[in-house]
Structures are given as structure tokens and as C-alpha cells.
């Protein structure tokens, strides 16, 4: 049997966490190395590594509470907005192989950090873009 993920150990209470939400399929807790006060992680209890591995019903379960948890985080730390993001795969910086959404509060008096700031940007012609769109459609 494969080893439990770090986040499964948190769900099972083996590793303590500041839990902020729990239901049958979904769990949320504060990030131990917060990027901002209130930085929260929301996970499916089942240890899927990547988003594409999650059955639609379980993805729907997480999304049915993600907005509500985000609003509660914003209210708790008086944030003006939040970045809600998922590092999907090692190449995207995913360190814990158990799918999780980050809810990171942002504040108007802080420097805004849109996800656009993470990337250099890709110069693509209209033809290249529509060719990529076609390949994405073909791979579904
Ligand atoms: P990733 O880079 O995989 O998207 O994010 C993993 C997150 O998990 C990081 O932000 C990291 O601070 C957080 N983290 C790692 N270990 C622990 C832990 O033991 N407890 C909690 N609450 N968060 C953790």
C-alpha cells in the first residue's frame, strides 16, 4: 500500500493543524508557512495528486464550499480580495502530491500580486493560438 500523504495525515489528526472546515469529503486548514495572514488550504480528503484525477462529483463537492470558505477567510482577516490557486504538478511548483487549493488573502495597501506576475508571457500568433485551442479540444 502506498504511503499516506502529508495532508492525509493532517486529515486523520496524526499531524495537528488549524482546521477551519470539514465535511464528509472536504477539509480546510491554515497553511503552516502562510504567504499572508489567513492563508488557507482546501483539499479533498481523498489523496488525488492532480486535479484531473478527481472524479467530477468530488471536484464539485470541493467547489460547492470553496467560495464560502474564501468569503470566511476574507472576513476573518479583513482582506480586500484573495488569490485562489492550485499548483497542479511538480512543474507548477506543487510540493505536496495531494491536490489542494490555496486561498491567499490580498490587501489594497499591499502590492497586488496577480498570477500574471508569475509568467513572462508567450508571444503567439492568432494561428498558433487557434491551433493550440484545437489540440485542447481534441484531447478532451
Ligand atoms: P504546494 O507547493 O504543494 O502548492 O503547497 C504546499 C503547501 O503546504 C505550502 O504552502 C506549505 O507551506 C504547506 N505545508 C507544508 N507542510 C505543511 C504542514 O505540515 N502543515 C500545514 N498546515 N501546511 C503545510
Amino acid at each position: 500500500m502506498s504511503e499516506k500523504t502529508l495532508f492525509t495525515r493532517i486529515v486523520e489528526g496524526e499531524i495537528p493543524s488549524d482546521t477551519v472546515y470539514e465535511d464528509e469529503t472536504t477539509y480546510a486548514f491554515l497553511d503552516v508557512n502562510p504567504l499572508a495572514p489567513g492563508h488557507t488550504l482546501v483539499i479533498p480528503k481523498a489523496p488525488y495528486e492532480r486535479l484531473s484525477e478527481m472524479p467530477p462529483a468530488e471536484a464539485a463537492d470541493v467547489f460547492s464550499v470553496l467560495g464560502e470558505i474564501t468569503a470566511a477567510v476574507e472576513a476573518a482577516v479583513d482582506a480586500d480580495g484573495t488569490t485562489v490557486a492550485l499548483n497542479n504538478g511538480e512543474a507548477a511548483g506543487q510540493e505536496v502530491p495531494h491536490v489542494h487549493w490555496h486561498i491567499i488573502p490580498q490587501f489594497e495597501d499591499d502590492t497586488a500580486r496577480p498570477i500574471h506576475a508569475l509568467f513572462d508571457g508567450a508571444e503567439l500568433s492568432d494561428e498558433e493560438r487557434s491551433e493550440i485551442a484545437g489540440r485542447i479540444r481534441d484531447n478532451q
Side-chain angles (χ1 to χ4, degrees):
M1 207 168 106
S2 62
E3 230 175 86
K4 283 182 200 170
T5 71
L6 175 70
F7 289 168
T8 296
R9 295 175 64 205
I10 285 177
V11 170
E12 293 179 355
E14 250 179 66
I15 296 174
S17 72
D18 296 292
T19 305
V20 299
Y21 178 84
E22 179 170 15
D23 66 25
E24 214 175 300
T25 56
T26 305
Y27 196 83
F29 54 101
L30 296 187
D31 194 303
V32 80
N33 292 307
L35 298 175
H39 182 173
T40 296
L41 302 174
V42 183
I43 66 171
K45 285 184 172 175
Y48 306 107
E49 184 167 340
R50 285 201 179 206
L51 182 57
S52 56
E53 293 167 15
M54 287 186 74
E58 281 179 62
D61 282 350
V62 171
F63 269 87
S64 72
V65 294
L66 190 57
E68 204 181 315
I69 298 170
T70 299
V73 169
E74 289 177 359
V77 298
D78 205 16
D80 300 302
T82 33
T83 296
V84 180
L86 164 81
N87 295 324
N88 199 35
E90 254 182 59
Q94 183 180 4
E95 288 178 359
V96 179
H98 184 145
V99 71
H100 52 281
W101 282 262
H102 292 259
I103 301 172
I104 307 162
Q106 297 231 34
F107 301 89
E108 267 162 18
D109 58 1
D110 199 353
T111 310
R113 296 179 183 88
I115 55 166
H116 298 78
L118 295 174
F119 297 91
D120 295 332
E123 300 253 339
L124 295 172
S125 65
D126 291 351
E127 291 72 26
E128 287 170 319
R129 243 188 9 254
S130 59
E131 195 264 328
I132 291 169
R135 274 192 273 144
I136 294 171
R137 287 193 297 272
D138 291 346
N139 274 286
Q140 285 166 33

